[in-house]
Amino acid sequence: MARVICIANQKGGVGKTTTAINLSAALAVSEKRTLLVDCDPQANATSGLGITKNGFAQSLYEGMLGKADAKGLIVASAIPTLKVIPSNIELTGFEVEMVSNPHREQALKKIIIELKSAFEYIILDCPPSLSLLTVNALTAADSLLIPLQCEFYALEGLGQLLQTVKRIKRGLNPNLSIVGILLTMFDKRTNLSYQVAEETEKYFKHLVFKTMIPRNVRLSEAPSFGKPILLYDAASSGAQSYFELAKEIMSH
């Protein structure tokens, strides 16, 4: 039965999609049957794995509206053990169409329940907002991974996300836990990165992953080639870091 991990932070540019793509790839390369679900209408996780708009007939949008069977949404990737449920801009319509539906927060959970037995890990990539799509992902997940960039104001807004998690635990998903906080864009050359890491560890202690994702040019280049870092440059520090993160998650 799959472990379902939601990757969320309402701040943009913190490395959510980079983490979703590369953690999924690292788990898959570690011979774990992995599914990446792109819950963001911007569809960066979809294109970052080389899946084009013509590469799928149905997207997460049709699945969440109940117009398509969950298994029919799955698309193959370049890694045999990594499958994807793609997204596209149509997903922006989900919130409007479901606004009066009393079960609107459970739409993704229905899909995930159908697929849990076929995978060992299901990774949910969220949009950069605390929208109905993010609430759906938090409701469907077992645990939450929070990427946090090592930059000024990194911890700002984290309180809001943690309040949302509390509300979801109270009303929609009492078993939701935080698997960890992942420090991203760590730059060894700056004091600021070390300060942010220190501050985060002071507040969140054991919740902070030992692995930190460095600032890495190869990591930022990989999506434009439609490849996870492991296929683009397996020797890079970015690839090694995501392998280490996958090991930490598998040992949890």
Side-chain angles (χ1 to χ4, degrees):
M1 195 65 87
R3 266 181 76 188
V4 186
I5 301 171
C6 165
I7 298 177
N9 185 335
Q10 74 270 30
K11 282 184 87 169
V14 299
K16 270 190 307 294
T17 300
T18 300
T19 297
I21 290 171
N22 293 303
L23 172 59
S24 299
L27 289 166
V29 169
S30 305
E31 298 184 345
K32 301 291 180 189
R33 294 186 315 280
T34 306
L35 174 69
L36 172 58
V37 184
D38 190 348
C39 306
D40 186 350
Q42 292 177 79
N44 291 335
T46 301
S47 60
L49 281 169
I51 297 162
T52 63
K53 284 178 185 172
N54 313 322
F56 53 92
Q58 296 171 316
S59 70
L60 184 63
Y61 171 71
E62 282 83 11
M64 287 180 77
L65 290 184
K67 292 178 178 175
D69 173 60
K71 288 182 180 132
L73 304 172
I74 296 171
V75 174
S77 80
I79 301 169
T81 41
L82 175 60
K83 307 295 184 213
V84 186
I85 292 184
S87 170
N88 57 25
I89 196 67
E90 284 186 340
L91 194 54
T92 49
F94 169 74
E95 307 209 8
V96 177
E97 294 190 47
M98 294 292 276
V99 74
S100 58
N101 188 314
H103 306 294
R104 58 187 176 272
E105 296 95 350
Q106 313 276 350
L108 182 59
K109 190 174 185 175
K110 279 186 188 169
I111 295 171
I112 299 301
I113 286 169
E114 275 187 61
L115 301 173
K116 257 188 157 181
S117 61
F119 295 95
E120 289 165 275
Y121 287 92
I122 297 177
I123 307 293
L124 312 175
D125 182 35
C126 292
S129 63
L130 294 176
S131 61
L132 183 57
L133 287 165
T134 302
V135 169
N136 259 270
L138 290 166
T139 304
D142 303 316
S143 54
L144 165 66
L145 187 157
I146 305 169
L148 200 69
Q149 86 282 34
C150 293
E151 287 173 3
F152 228 60
Y153 305 126
L155 295 169
E156 199 180 66
L158 199 54
Q160 199 185 347
L161 175 60
L162 297 175
Q163 282 304 316
T164 302
V165 169
K166 270 186 190 166
R167 282 200 296 274
I168 298 233
K169 282 184 73 139
R170 272 201 306 269
L172 295 162
N173 185 359
N175 299 319
L176 182 67
S177 63
I178 295 173
V179 68
I181 293 170
L182 176 68
L183 293 167
T184 61
M185 302 175 201
F186 186 86
D187 189 339
K188 287 179 181 172
R189 299 166 302 177
T190 68
N191 286 334
L192 181 61
S193 281
Y194 290 98
Q195 283 165 5
V196 172
E198 210 174 289
E199 211 176 322
T200 308
E201 278 163 14
K202 190 172 84 184
Y203 283 112
F204 297 103
K205 301 182 173 63
H206 65 281
L207 276 179
V208 184
F209 284 109
K210 290 188 182 74
T211 304
M212 290 190 269
I213 309 300
R215 271 203 178 281
N216 181 242
V217 175
R218 306 299 273 168
L219 256 184
S220 46
E221 286 173 354
S224 61
F225 291 88
K227 290 179 178 181
I229 189 65
L230 304 178
L231 296 185
Y232 181 63
D233 185 354
S236 67
S237 60
Q240 298 307 314
S241 299
Y242 278 110
F243 258 129
E244 289 304 315
L245 176 64
K247 278 186 204 163
E248 269 196 77
I249 282 176
M250 287 186 288
S251 69
H252 259 252

